[in-house]
Amino acid sequence: MTQAKNGDTVRINYNGRLADGTQFDSSGNEPLQFTLGEGQVIAGLETHVEGMEVGAKSTVTIPADAAYGPHRPEAVMTVDRARVPDNINVDLGTRLQVRTPEGRPMPLTVVGVDDTSVKLDGNHPLAGRDLVFDVELVEIVQAA
């Protein structure tokens, strides 16, 4: 049977959860399609799918370093509340987007707020977390 290899476009069904069982993502009703070797999904998932055969199902734990990386304390910042426009929601967990001085979008999450300041986290919400995926290789759409 054919195994998925670098350069193949594949379709997978998956459920992603944290070590405590909390689900954070899933392919839902439509399989996820991506090309192996192009970095379209996290490195650990891509590595796991490579070598699978169509119809194969497996579970893999991907360490943080092969997923969204470690949580970087330097990516957490506190800004004066007065610098945030009044029309911007700063409830805990709110996802915001700002532009870097170079003009690139930078997503931030509100992780703290009081009358004088807002604490923003530039880390990916899953940074520093090991991720568990249940994976099924549904199809090799196009072989390299």
Side-chain angles (χ1 to χ4, degrees):
M1 191 161 245
T2 305
Q3 294 181 327
K5 63 186 178 312
N6 192 48
D8 287 352
T9 298
V10 298
R11 293 171 52 112
I12 64 169
N13 286 325
Y14 72 93
N15 284 307
R17 63 185 188 281
L18 303 176
D20 68 5
T22 303
Q23 184 173 319
F24 62 84
D25 197 12
S26 126
S27 55
N29 295 328
E30 285 292 318
L32 173 68
Q33 181 172 307
F34 61 96
T35 301
L36 291 170
E38 291 191 1
Q40 298 168 333
V41 297
I42 59 174
L45 183 58
E46 188 171 68
T47 299
H48 181 73
V49 171
E50 192 169 345
M52 287 181 72
E53 295 179 349
V54 173
K57 295 180 181 182
S58 61
T59 299
V60 60
T61 299
I62 299 173
D65 287 345
Y68 293 99
H71 185 272
R72 298 173 299 115
E74 68 274 13
V76 179
M77 64 199 91
T78 301
V79 297
D80 287 336
R81 177 70 179 95
R83 292 186 57 203
V84 181
D86 291 336
N87 65 331
I88 301 294
N89 178 5
V90 291
D91 292 339
L92 288 179
T94 299
R95 301 280 295 155
L96 305 172
Q97 183 171 292
V98 298
R99 294 227 175 257
T100 66
E102 298 80 29
R104 290 190 310 261
M106 184 170 109
L108 300 168
T109 303
V110 177
V111 294
V113 64
D114 61 30
D115 290 339
T116 61
S117 64
V118 178
K119 191 174 190 178
L120 301 169
D121 188 344
N123 287 289
H124 187 282
L126 295 172
R129 310 289 295 267
D130 294 342
L131 308 178
V132 180
F133 286 90
D134 299 313
V135 180
E136 175 188 15
L137 180 57
V138 176
E139 180 181 8
I140 298 174
V141 179
Q142 181 179 355

